[in-house]
C-alpha cells in the first residue's frame, strides 16, 4: 500500500475519533446542563414554597391559617406513611394508631406536666416509638395484604383503647382544656392562630429536612432494596426484618410527633384522631401524591384535606366530601399513575450543532 493511502487512513481514523470524542463531549455537556437546570429549578421551587408558607399568615384569615396548620400536620402523617409504603414497600393502615398515641401523650403532658411544646413533641414521639416496637415486631413479619390487615387491626385496637380507657383518655368525650403551647422555655404561650402556625411550620420544615436527608443514606438504599427484591437482599446478608422494624418504629415516632402538633393546633383530642378514617386518608394522600416521594405525600395530603374540608363543605355539593374524595381517587389513578410527583413539566433545550 502506498504511503499516501496510509496517511489517508490515519486521517480518516483521526477524524472519526475526533467526531466521536466531540459527540461524547456534547452528550456529556447536555446531560450536565439538564442536571444543573433540574437542580436549580428544584431549589427555586423549594425556596418559593417556603417563602409562600412563611408569608401565608400575612395574607390569609384566621380560618385559612388554621386549615393550613392542619394540612402541615397531616402532611407529616402522610410522610410517615410514605416511609413504609413508598420507601419500604409496606402499605399500612395503622399509622393513625401512633398518631393517636402521640396526640394523647402530648395532651396528658400538657394538662398534667408542662406546656413546653418541645417537651411534648419529644415525649410524644418517644412513646409512639416505644408502642411501635412490639406492634411492629409482629407486623413486619408479614408482607403484602397480610401486613396491611395487621396494621389495620393495630389501628382498631388503638381506637378501642382510646374509647374504653376512660381514666386516661376520658373516653368518647376526649381530652379538652389543653393550655396554649409554649414552644421553648422562656417564650410566651402561643394563643394566636398565626403564632401557632409558625411553630407548626418550623417543626414541619425541620422534620421534612431530616427525612429528606435520610433518603440519601445507605439505610434508605437498603430499604429500597427490600421494597424491590427482599429475597435478594436477604440472600446477600441483609437482616431485612430488622431494617423493616427500624423504619416502622421511625415512622411511628414521626406520626407521634405529628400527633403532638395536632394537639397544639386543636387543643383537643378524641378517639376519632386514632380511627380508621385518618389512616385511610393518609394512605390515600400517599397514593395520590406519588408513592415514594416526600413532597408528593405532602401535596397529596393538602389535596385530600382541602377536598374533604373545603370543597366538601361548599353549598353546591352539600357536604358530600367523601364522594368527592372517591372521585378524586379514581381520577388520580387513571390520569396520574405515578401521582402528583410523576407530573413533569416540559423542559425545552436548545442544542448547538457544529458542522
Amino acid at each position: 500500500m502506498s504511503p499516501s493511502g496510509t496517511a489517508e487512513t490515519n486521517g480518516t481514523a483521526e477524524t472519526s475519533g475526533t467526531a466521536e470524542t466531540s459527540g461524547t463531549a456534547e452528550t456529556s455537556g447536555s446531560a450536565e446542563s439538564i442536571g444543573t437546570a433540574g437542580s436549580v429549578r428544584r431549589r427555586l421551587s423549594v425556596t418559593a414554597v417556603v417563602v409562600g408558607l412563611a408569608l401565608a399568615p400575612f395574607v390569609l384569615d384566621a380560618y385559612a391559617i388554621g386549615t393550613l396548620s392542619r394540612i402541615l400536620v397531616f402532611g407529616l402523617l402522610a410522610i410517615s406513611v410514605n416511609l413504609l409504603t413508598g420507601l419500604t414497600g409496606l402499605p399500612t393502615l395503622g399509622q393513625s394508631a401512633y398518631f393517636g398515641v402521640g396526640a394523647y401523650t402530648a395532651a396528658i403532658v400538657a394538662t398534667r406536666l408542662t406546656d413546653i411544646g418541645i417537651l411534648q413533641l419529644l415525649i410524644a414521639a418517644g412513646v409512639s416509638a416505644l408502642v411501635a416496637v412490639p406492634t411492629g415486631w409482629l407486623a413486619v413479619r408479614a408482607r403484602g395484604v397480610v401486613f396491611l390487615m395487621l396494621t389495620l387491626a393495630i389501628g382498631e385496637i388503638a381506637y378501642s383503647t382510646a374509647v374504653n380507657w376512660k381514666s386516661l383518655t376520658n373516653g368518647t368525650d376526649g381530652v379538652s382544656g389543653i393550655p396554649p403551647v409554649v414552644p421553648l422555655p422562656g417564650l410566651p404561650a402561643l394563643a394566636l392562630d398565626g403564632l401557632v402556625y409558625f411553630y407548626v411550620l418550623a417543626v414541619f420544615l425541620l422534620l421534612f429536612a431530616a427525612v429528606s436527608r435520610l433518603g440519601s443514606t445507605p439505610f434508605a438504599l437498603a430499604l429500597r432494596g427490600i421494597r424491590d427484591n427482599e429475597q435478594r437482599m436477604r440472600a446477600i446478608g441483609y437482616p431485612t426484618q430488622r431494617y423493616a422494624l427500624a423504619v416502622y418504629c421511625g415512622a411511628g415516632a414521626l406520626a407521634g410527633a405529628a400527633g403532638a402538633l395536632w394537639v397544639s393546633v386543636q387543643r383537643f383530642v378524641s378517639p376519632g384522631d386514632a380511627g380508621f378514617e385518618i389512616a385511610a386518608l393518609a394512605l390515600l394522600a400517599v397514593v395520590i401524591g406519588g408513592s415514594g416521594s416526600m413532597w408528593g405525600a405532602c401535596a397529596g395530603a393538602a389535596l385530600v384535606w382541602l377536598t374533604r374540608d373545603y370543597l366538601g363543605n361548599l353549598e353546591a355539593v352539600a357536604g358530600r366530601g367523601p364522594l368527592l374524595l372517591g372521585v378524586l381517587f379514581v381520577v388520580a389513578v387513571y390520569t396520574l399513575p405515578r401521582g402528583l410527583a410523576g407530573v413533569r413539566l416540559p423542559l425545552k433545550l436548545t442544542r448547538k450543532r457544529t458542522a
Side-chain angles (χ1 to χ4, degrees):
M1 181 180 292
S2 66
S4 61
T6 303
E8 290 176 359
T9 303
N10 291 337
T12 304
E14 290 178 1
T15 304
S16 176
T18 304
E20 290 178 359
T21 304
S22 176
T24 304
E26 288 181 2
T27 304
S28 176
S30 300
E32 290 179 359
S33 299
I34 295 174
T36 303
S39 178
V40 171
R41 188 171 59 178
R42 283 193 297 270
R43 291 179 182 178
L44 290 176
S45 300
V46 171
T47 302
V49 170
V50 173
V51 171
L53 290 174
L55 295 178
F58 301 102
V59 296
L60 299 178
D61 57 20
Y63 176 78
I65 289 301
T67 301
L68 194 54
S69 297
R70 295 177 183 89
I71 288 175
L72 292 176
V73 174
F74 189 59
L76 284 179
L77 179 61
I79 290 175
S80 75
V81 173
N82 189 61
L83 284 175
L84 294 173
T85 303
L87 188 62
T88 320
L90 299 174
T92 176
L93 281 171
Q95 288 305 98
S96 61
Y98 311 108
F99 181 79
V101 168
Y104 273 106
T105 300
I108 293 170
V109 170
T111 54
R112 301 182 184 181
L113 296 178
T114 179
D115 56 0
I116 303 299
I118 188 64
L119 293 179
Q120 298 173 16
L121 198 71
L122 294 175
I123 294 174
V127 172
S128 297
L130 288 176
V131 173
V133 172
T135 54
W137 180 85
L138 174 65
V140 298
R141 295 176 177 275
R143 294 293 185 270
V145 177
V146 178
F147 178 85
L148 186 69
M149 292 298 101
L150 284 174
T151 57
L152 175 61
I154 291 170
E156 290 302 305
I157 291 173
Y159 173 78
S160 298
T161 302
V163 171
N164 296 312
W165 196 353
K166 295 183 180 180
S167 60
L168 185 67
T169 65
N170 203 26
T172 55
D173 293 332
V175 179
S176 58
I178 301 172
V181 64
V182 177
L184 294 171
L187 295 179
L190 305 181
L192 299 178
D193 292 336
L195 297 177
V196 175
Y197 167 78
F198 280 123
Y199 167 67
V200 172
L201 177 62
V203 176
F204 171 85
L205 292 177
L206 287 174
L207 293 178
F208 185 89
V211 176
S212 297
R213 296 285 293 179
L214 173 68
S216 59
T217 61
F219 178 72
L221 294 177
L223 294 178
R224 293 189 181 96
I226 294 173
R227 176 195 63 192
D228 296 335
N229 196 329
E230 184 175 2
Q231 292 182 351
R232 179 173 294 181
M233 294 293 292
R234 192 182 298 116
I236 61 179
Y238 278 89
T240 57
Q241 285 192 3
R242 293 181 185 178
Y243 275 84
L245 180 59
V247 72
Y248 191 95
C249 294
L254 183 59
L261 290 179
W262 182 255
V263 169
S264 299
V265 175
Q266 294 284 101
R267 294 172 60 183
F268 175 76
V269 60
S270 68
D273 297 324
F276 171 76
E277 182 182 3
I278 296 296
L281 290 177
L283 182 58
L284 179 62
V286 171
V287 173
I288 292 177
S291 182
S293 171
M294 298 301 169
W295 78 262
C298 295
L303 185 58
V304 167
W305 198 268
L306 290 174
T307 301
R308 192 194 72 163
D309 284 10
Y310 180 73
L311 296 180
N313 290 328
L314 294 178
E315 185 177 354
V317 295
R320 294 185 176 89
L323 176 61
L324 290 178
L325 283 176
V327 173
L328 174 64
F329 178 71
V330 173
V331 171
V333 167
Y334 279 98
T335 61
L336 300 172
R338 297 178 58 190
L340 296 174
V343 177
R344 293 290 183 268
L345 297 177
L347 180 64
K348 295 182 179 180
L349 297 175
T350 58
R351 297 182 179 180
K352 294 182 179 180
R353 298 184 178 271
T354 56

